Amino acid sequence: MADQDPLPIDASKFQRAADSPSPDDVPTPGLCGNQPNGGPYVPSKPETAATSTRAVIDMDRRWKNGTRLQVVFLTGDDAWGQAIRQAVRRIAVQWSDYANITFDFDQPAAHITVNLVPGSIPQLGWSVNWGSYNCFMGTDCLNMRKQFPSLPSMNLVFPPNLQNDPNLMDAEFSRVILHEFGHALGLIHEHQRPDRPIDWTPDVFSYYGAPPNNWSQQMVQEQIINAVQGGTLMGGAFDINSIMMYQYPQGLAAYKDGTPFVSPNNVILTPLDKVVVAMAYPVEGAPASNEQTLVPGEAARPGKIDVAGRVGRYKFQPQTEGVYTIATTGMPALVALLGKRDDPAGRMLAAEGANAKLTFRPKNVGQDYFVQVRHARPTKGTGDFQIAVTQVS
Ligand SMILES: [Zn+2]
């Protein structure tokens, strides 16, 4: 594995541009401007323009499991910058409830450097404006800085006029910070995963070509249409609520059967977002539970997560076609259903809660399905639960 030690930073070398644009007419909310390869396009590095990547989570760009990721703010000493810093410290760490990764802020060296202000970054060919959000993917945050040590690996250039609408500000902080730190962990855009079950319409070009985005056709191709390719991908079923999915109004894409594709403004993590990073960054040293067999219709079976990070493992076999539920009671739980043992295979489903209930219609009766039960905060929680599988129709 490549060296993943944090690099020293010299924030004085990255300065706000003197001719920063006015924030008065900033289009908000803005979209994350990541490239399909997970990081922003670097003109001097042609490979960053190629769709050479992967998604959901790119297992090849993961940090070493258990890393304490050091995050340093390069800019934003004013009051608004301090407000953003506070939001980042509060929100980014949500990922640590699920991934075995810790974030340490304001260290003398950094894995991830964060810019909060507009400016130009000529080394990368960027113009960063109010509303510009992006991040290199996973370990590329550090790899880029081996070439350009004082440059940001993440841009969180929230426009100050968000303060005029505190509710919008809170939603935007949550949406953008969780999304960009998702990239920092190695997650790609949900809408660019190669197995997405949708087709785009030509209207996608005119929609994003118009204000407030004003994207070129190439930008639409790179941000939306091009699927991530190659690499080692790991993820669950297509999740329109994923924090890594853009918001799409009706008319831009359709499912294969013609159903219009729509996705909402996602500002929180979904059960699948949580399970995927829990699988990519598991707690080390939590002994695996033996797999138990559940029988549909039988009484609920007791289970226990006695060590943080332990996973309860089950399998069952539907014998007749119909609709089944997997339900837990007791501790707040994250429940995942898999068609292959320990392999999400792009089809995993998940549910969460103190009464987590997952409803599904098995395609393959007479074959094994697999269930994983985690505490709802897998890296921290323990507790007792009961689990049952029931055929409901
Ligand atoms: Zn993004």
Side-chain angles (χ1 to χ4, degrees):
M1 180 175 294
D3 177 25
Q4 293 188 7
D5 289 339
L7 287 172
I9 55 121
D10 182 354
S12 67
K13 291 196 171 152
F14 184 77
Q15 294 286 353
R16 175 177 185 151
D19 58 348
S20 296
S22 161
D24 293 342
D25 54 359
V26 170
T28 58
L31 294 169
C32 167
N34 268 29
Q35 296 293 314
N37 70 347
Y41 171 53
V42 183
S44 64
K45 297 173 71 181
E47 67 275 17
T48 61
T51 57
S52 61
T53 341
R54 16 228 148 172
V56 172
I57 198 159
D58 179 346
M59 301 292 273
D60 300 337
R61 284 185 166 121
R62 277 176 302 173
W63 300 97
K64 183 173 181 296
N65 193 22
T67 296
R68 298 191 77 92
L69 283 180
Q70 300 184 17
V71 181
V72 171
F73 299 101
L74 297 176
T75 51
D77 294 322
D78 61 356
W80 177 233
Q82 295 298 339
I84 299 170
R85 293 181 185 201
Q86 281 300 104
V88 172
R89 292 187 188 101
R90 184 178 76 248
I91 293 167
V93 299
Q94 287 181 34
W95 283 113
S96 300
D97 282 350
Y98 314 102
N100 181 28
I101 291 288
T102 309
F103 296 101
D104 290 333
F105 294 94
D106 308 316
Q107 303 294 308
H111 297 92
I112 297 168
T113 46
V114 184
N115 169 48
L116 306 180
V117 302
S120 62
I121 305 178
Q123 298 95 325
L124 303 182
W126 298 349
S127 175
V128 177
N129 296 307
W130 298 114
S132 289
Y133 311 117
N134 58 29
C135 181
F136 284 88
M137 194 154 71
T139 48
D140 280 356
C141 290
L142 190 61
N143 291 336
M144 180 277 293
R145 290 183 50 248
K146 289 175 179 168
Q147 187 176 357
F148 302 116
S150 62
L151 294 190
S153 38
M154 180 185 295
N155 285 294
L156 295 176
V157 188
F158 290 98
N161 61 0
L162 278 175
Q163 294 166 100
N164 301 336
D165 184 341
N167 288 331
L168 177 63
M169 182 179 72
D170 287 347
E172 284 292 279
F173 279 163
S174 182
R175 177 182 75 89
V176 173
I177 293 168
L178 289 173
H179 179 105
E180 300 308 335
F181 276 85
H183 285 312
L185 291 177
L187 293 166
I188 69 149
H189 284 146
E190 187 74 3
H191 57 267
Q192 290 182 295
R193 52 188 289 171
D195 62 345
R196 59 198 170 171
I198 55 174
D199 294 315
W200 303 99
T201 71
D203 289 350
V204 74
F205 289 102
S206 52
Y207 181 83
Y208 289 102
N213 296 292
N214 301 310
W215 282 357
S216 65
Q217 293 218 346
Q218 182 188 348
M219 188 80 169
V220 175
Q221 287 282 357
E222 291 169 350
Q223 299 298 319
I224 293 173
I225 292 180
N226 292 350
V228 159
Q229 307 210 335
T232 309
L233 305 180
M234 193 271 285
F238 187 66
D239 182 4
I240 65 165
N241 298 116
S242 170
I243 196 69
M244 304 313 292
M245 172 70 85
Y246 286 179
Q247 179 176 12
Y248 290 102
Q250 189 168 328
L252 304 185
Y255 291 96
K256 303 294 183 189
D257 68 353
T259 306
F261 166 71
V262 176
S263 60
N265 183 36
N266 299 319
V267 303
I268 60 171
L269 304 180
T270 66
L272 276 175
D273 292 334
K274 298 172 181 179
V275 174
V276 167
V277 297
M279 295 178 81
Y281 295 102
V283 174
E284 293 167 313
S289 299
N290 292 330
E291 185 176 88
Q292 298 183 45
T293 300
L294 300 171
V295 177
E298 284 195 350
R301 184 184 295 248
K304 185 190 251 326
I305 304 296
D306 52 353
V307 177
R310 177 171 278 187
V311 181
R313 289 183 162 79
Y314 301 88
K315 70 173 179 181
F316 69 96
Q317 208 174 81
Q319 293 298 331
T320 57
E321 289 186 7
V323 176
Y324 290 73
T325 62
I326 303 157
T328 63
T329 56
M331 71 172 193
L334 259 178
V335 180
L337 171 68
L338 302 87
K340 288 173 146 181
R341 183 181 281 112
D342 298 325
D343 181 359
R347 296 193 299 274
M348 177 173 69
L349 302 175
E352 67 179 323
N355 294 287
K357 183 187 273 191
L358 219 161
T359 301
F360 80 111
R361 182 184 290 274
K363 270 189 184 165
N364 303 313
V365 297
Q367 292 190 20
D368 285 338
Y369 284 79
F370 301 89
V371 179
Q372 297 184 350
V373 179
R374 292 173 172 81
H375 190 276
R377 300 171 76 208
T379 61
K380 299 185 171 73
T382 59
D384 297 309
F385 62 94
Q386 298 78 41
I387 181 166
V389 178
T390 309
Q391 184 171 4
V392 293
S393 68

PDB file of all heavy atoms in Angstrom, residues 32 34 179-180 183 189 244 246, ligand 1:
ATOM      1  N   CYS A  32     -22.237  19.231  -6.577  1.00  0.00           N
ATOM      2  CA  CYS A  32     -20.834  18.839  -6.437  1.00  0.00           C
ATOM      3  C   CYS A  32     -20.216  18.696  -7.806  1.00  0.00           C
ATOM      4  O   CYS A  32     -20.736  17.992  -8.654  1.00  0.00           O
ATOM      5  CB  CYS A  32     -20.732  17.521  -5.679  1.00  0.00           C
ATOM      6  SG  CYS A  32     -19.113  16.763  -5.760  1.00  0.00           S
ATOM      7  N   ASN A  34     -17.565  17.152  -8.875  1.00  0.00           N
ATOM      8  CA  ASN A  34     -16.548  16.113  -9.033  1.00  0.00           C
ATOM      9  C   ASN A  34     -16.583  15.536 -10.435  1.00  0.00           C
ATOM     10  O   ASN A  34     -17.600  15.527 -11.100  1.00  0.00           O
ATOM     11  CB  ASN A  34     -16.789  14.985  -8.029  1.00  0.00           C
ATOM     12  CG  ASN A  34     -16.033  15.217  -6.754  1.00  0.00           C
ATOM     13  OD1 ASN A  34     -15.790  16.346  -6.384  1.00  0.00           O
ATOM     14  ND2 ASN A  34     -15.659  14.153  -6.096  1.00  0.00           N
ATOM     15  N   HIS A 179     -21.730  14.701   1.714  1.00  0.00           N
ATOM     16  CA  HIS A 179     -21.432  14.252   0.349  1.00  0.00           C
ATOM     17  C   HIS A 179     -19.931  14.338   0.064  1.00  0.00           C
ATOM     18  O   HIS A 179     -19.319  13.364  -0.401  1.00  0.00           O
ATOM     19  CB  HIS A 179     -22.231  15.113  -0.641  1.00  0.00           C
ATOM     20  CG  HIS A 179     -22.012  14.777  -2.088  1.00  0.00           C
ATOM     21  ND1 HIS A 179     -22.945  14.085  -2.839  1.00  0.00           N
ATOM     22  CD2 HIS A 179     -20.993  15.063  -2.936  1.00  0.00           C
ATOM     23  CE1 HIS A 179     -22.499  13.954  -4.077  1.00  0.00           C
ATOM     24  NE2 HIS A 179     -21.310  14.542  -4.173  1.00  0.00           N
ATOM     25  N   GLU A 180     -19.319  15.477   0.348  1.00  0.00           N
ATOM     26  CA  GLU A 180     -17.896  15.631   0.008  1.00  0.00           C
ATOM     27  C   GLU A 180     -17.021  14.739   0.884  1.00  0.00           C
ATOM     28  O   GLU A 180     -16.024  14.184   0.407  1.00  0.00           O
ATOM     29  CB  GLU A 180     -17.459  17.095   0.110  1.00  0.00           C
ATOM     30  CG  GLU A 180     -18.214  18.053  -0.815  1.00  0.00           C
ATOM     31  CD  GLU A 180     -18.252  17.637  -2.282  1.00  0.00           C
ATOM     32  OE1 GLU A 180     -17.356  16.895  -2.724  1.00  0.00           O
ATOM     33  OE2 GLU A 180     -19.204  18.043  -2.981  1.00  0.00           O
ATOM     34  N   HIS A 183     -17.015  11.390  -0.645  1.00  0.00           N
ATOM     35  CA  HIS A 183     -15.953  11.258  -1.654  1.00  0.00           C
ATOM     36  C   HIS A 183     -14.607  11.042  -0.962  1.00  0.00           C
ATOM     37  O   HIS A 183     -13.784  10.239  -1.411  1.00  0.00           O
ATOM     38  CB  HIS A 183     -15.857  12.525  -2.506  1.00  0.00           C
ATOM     39  CG  HIS A 183     -16.951  12.685  -3.526  1.00  0.00           C
ATOM     40  ND1 HIS A 183     -17.343  11.678  -4.375  1.00  0.00           N
ATOM     41  CD2 HIS A 183     -17.733  13.755  -3.837  1.00  0.00           C
ATOM     42  CE1 HIS A 183     -18.307  12.115  -5.172  1.00  0.00           C
ATOM     43  NE2 HIS A 183     -18.575  13.371  -4.860  1.00  0.00           N
ATOM     44  N   HIS A 189     -20.260   9.067  -7.166  1.00  0.00           N
ATOM     45  CA  HIS A 189     -21.635   9.512  -7.378  1.00  0.00           C
ATOM     46  C   HIS A 189     -22.559   8.323  -7.652  1.00  0.00           C
ATOM     47  O   HIS A 189     -22.270   7.500  -8.520  1.00  0.00           O
ATOM     48  CB  HIS A 189     -21.703  10.486  -8.550  1.00  0.00           C
ATOM     49  CG  HIS A 189     -21.205  11.848  -8.209  1.00  0.00           C
ATOM     50  ND1 HIS A 189     -20.549  12.648  -9.104  1.00  0.00           N
ATOM     51  CD2 HIS A 189     -21.284  12.564  -7.058  1.00  0.00           C
ATOM     52  CE1 HIS A 189     -20.237  13.803  -8.524  1.00  0.00           C
ATOM     53  NE2 HIS A 189     -20.658  13.767  -7.270  1.00  0.00           N
ATOM     54  N   MET A 244     -24.918  10.386  -1.981  1.00  0.00           N
ATOM     55  CA  MET A 244     -24.045  10.552  -3.142  1.00  0.00           C
ATOM     56  C   MET A 244     -24.837  10.732  -4.443  1.00  0.00           C
ATOM     57  O   MET A 244     -24.252  10.765  -5.526  1.00  0.00           O
ATOM     58  CB  MET A 244     -23.088   9.351  -3.264  1.00  0.00           C
ATOM     59  CG  MET A 244     -22.233   9.093  -2.028  1.00  0.00           C
ATOM     60  SD  MET A 244     -21.426  10.573  -1.322  1.00  0.00           S
ATOM     61  CE  MET A 244     -20.248  10.973  -2.629  1.00  0.00           C
ATOM     62  N   TYR A 246     -27.263  13.100  -6.849  1.00  0.00           N
ATOM     63  CA  TYR A 246     -27.780  14.451  -7.072  1.00  0.00           C
ATOM     64  C   TYR A 246     -29.304  14.441  -6.978  1.00  0.00           C
ATOM     65  O   TYR A 246     -29.952  13.418  -7.127  1.00  0.00           O
ATOM     66  CB  TYR A 246     -27.454  14.930  -8.490  1.00  0.00           C
ATOM     67  CG  TYR A 246     -26.040  15.334  -8.793  1.00  0.00           C
ATOM     68  CD1 TYR A 246     -25.723  15.740 -10.082  1.00  0.00           C
ATOM     69  CD2 TYR A 246     -25.029  15.328  -7.845  1.00  0.00           C
ATOM     70  CE1 TYR A 246     -24.440  16.119 -10.432  1.00  0.00           C
ATOM     71  CE2 TYR A 246     -23.746  15.715  -8.188  1.00  0.00           C
ATOM     72  CZ  TYR A 246     -23.455  16.106  -9.483  1.00  0.00           C
ATOM     73  OH  TYR A 246     -22.188  16.486  -9.828  1.00  0.00           O
TER      74      TYR A 246
HETATM   75 ZN    ZN B   1     -19.917  14.707  -5.640  1.00  0.00          ZN
END
